[in-house]
């Protein structure tokens, strides 16, 4: 299948979902308000912490606001694109609904991932970008082409890494009857990484959140690059991390498909 073919499929999915969301507009706006409320609560939490301390491992309140804005940006793009689609995989595996996806003339994982696009989440990008711009101004950072392009590249890489982590957890449904506990664990890891930036982690915790389940790098690395600097070794680490998790997630997915028991026999 050509890239153009997948773009056409994706645009069709987006049009259908947008039409449906406009029909149920109340749900659309309620979801936006809930998302904004969640991030405002987190912002208040950080403001409360920085009312008592000046810095956390070299980061002041404006570094933390940039971190939060970056996390919001990555989260809203992921939520609007693949998050809900990946979340539905265990249900479809257990219910035998995967059969209808496997026989379609398109990549099974692509269709599953982007079937549940949620464009309402993209509105969170507005406050996210405002927080980032506000932080940049108060940190007196000179915005250059290199910084802007590097930041965008890192955001794309973090979106890929987040996708891989979510897919790995969902593929467990091929072998485990109930994955609710595992999904709950992944959600708690993500929430923890949302509240605690990677620069605050030490020792075994840094290994856990940087290598084993690397949620800790998702917003921390782009923030470090834009507000401070990122060593060449860290660029290499991030590239290697994305490559390893992309390979691992797709190997596990294909292995799971081979062992999937179709309801059709």
């Amino acid at each position: 299948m050509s890239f153009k073919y997948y773009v056409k499929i994706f645009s069709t999915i987006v049009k259908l979902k947008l039409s449906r969301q406009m029909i149920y507009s109340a749900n659309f706006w309620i979801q936006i308000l809930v998302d904004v409320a969640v991030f405002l609560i987190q912002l208040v939490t950080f403001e409360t912490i920085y009312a008592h301390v000046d810095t956390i491992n070299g980061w002041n309140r404006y570094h933390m606001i940039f971190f939060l804005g970056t996390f919001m940006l990555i989260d809203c793009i992921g939520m609007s694109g693949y998050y809900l689609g990946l979340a539905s995989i265990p249900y479809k595996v257990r219910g035998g609904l995967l059969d209808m996806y496997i026989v379609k003339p398109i990549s099974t994982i692509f269709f599953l991932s982007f079937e549940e696009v949620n464009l309402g989440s993209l509105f969170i990008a507005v406050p996210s970008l405002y927080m980032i711009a506000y932080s940049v101004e108060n940190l007196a950072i000179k915005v250059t082409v290199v910084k802007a392009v590097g930041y965008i590249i890192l955001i794309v890489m973090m979106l890929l890494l987040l996708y891989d982590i979510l897919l790995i957890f969902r593929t467990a449904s091929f072998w485990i009857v109930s994955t609710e506990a595992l999904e709950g664990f992944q959600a708690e890891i993500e929430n923890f990484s949302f509240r605690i930036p990677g620069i605050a982690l030490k020792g075994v915790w840094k290994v856990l959140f940087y290598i084993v389940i690397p949620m800790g790098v998702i917003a921390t690395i782009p923030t470090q690059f834009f507000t401070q600097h990122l060593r060449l070794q860290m660029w290499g680490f991030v590239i290697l991390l994305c490559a390893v998790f992309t390979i691992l997630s797709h190997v596990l997915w294909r292995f799971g498909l081979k062992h999937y028991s179709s309801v059709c026999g």
Side-chain angles (χ1 to χ4, degrees), residues 39-215:
F39 286 110
L40 284 177
I41 291 170
Q42 187 60 26
L43 182 59
V44 170
T45 301
F46 281 140
E47 286 294 330
T48 303
I49 293 172
Y50 278 99
H52 299 86
V53 298
D54 294 326
T55 63
I56 297 177
N57 202 15
W59 279 19
N60 61 29
R61 69 186 336 119
Y62 299 114
H63 288 95
M64 203 63 77
I65 291 173
F66 191 102
F67 166 83
L68 182 56
T70 298
F71 205 110
M72 287 175 61
L73 183 61
I74 293 170
D75 185 75
C76 78
I77 297 173
M79 285 293 294
S80 65
Y82 55 69
Y83 202 104
L84 296 179
L86 290 176
S88 69
I89 288 177
Y91 167 74
K92 288 167 182 172
V93 170
R94 288 193 299 268
L97 301 176
L98 207 58
D99 293 12
M100 66 179 70
Y101 293 88
I102 294 174
V103 298
K104 292 183 183 297
I106 189 174
S107 167
T108 303
I109 189 58
F110 175 86
F111 197 15
L112 282 168
S113 299
F114 296 103
E115 183 189 24
E116 301 293 338
V117 292
N118 178 25
L119 298 180
S121 294
L122 280 179
F123 282 85
I124 306 301
V126 176
S128 303
L129 293 173
Y130 174 78
M131 291 168 67
I132 291 170
Y134 175 75
S135 302
V136 169
E137 181 180 0
N138 283 276
L139 290 169
I141 297 172
K142 183 180 180 181
V143 180
T144 64
V145 174
V146 173
K147 274 191 177 294
V149 173
Y151 181 76
I152 292 171
I153 291 172
L154 284 170
I155 292 296
V156 172
M157 292 173 69
M158 294 303 104
L159 283 167
L160 174 61
L161 181 60
L162 179 60
Y163 175 89
D164 294 333
I165 295 171
L166 294 175
L167 179 57
I168 288 171
F169 273 94
R170 270 56 186 185
T171 53
S173 58
F174 285 112
W175 302 281
I176 302 174
V177 175
S178 177
T179 58
E180 291 181 3
L182 196 59
E183 291 169 33
F185 172 70
Q186 174 264 309
E188 287 303 317
I189 291 289
E190 187 174 354
N191 290 335
F192 178 83
S193 300
F194 177 37
R195 299 186 184 99
I196 308 296
I199 52 101
L201 302 174
K202 302 290 183 181
V204 66
W205 297 110
K206 194 154 192 172
V207 173
L208 174 62
F209 287 96
Y210 268 58
I211 299 176
V212 181
I213 308 174
M215 285 286 191

Side-chain angles (χ1 to χ4, degrees), residues 206 210 221 224 230-239:
K206 194 154 192 172
Y210 268 58
I221 295 299
Q224 281 183 304
L230 200 64
R231 292 177 299 167
L232 188 60
Q233 295 94 320
M234 187 55 74
W235 274 100
F237 168 73
V238 172
I239 293 171

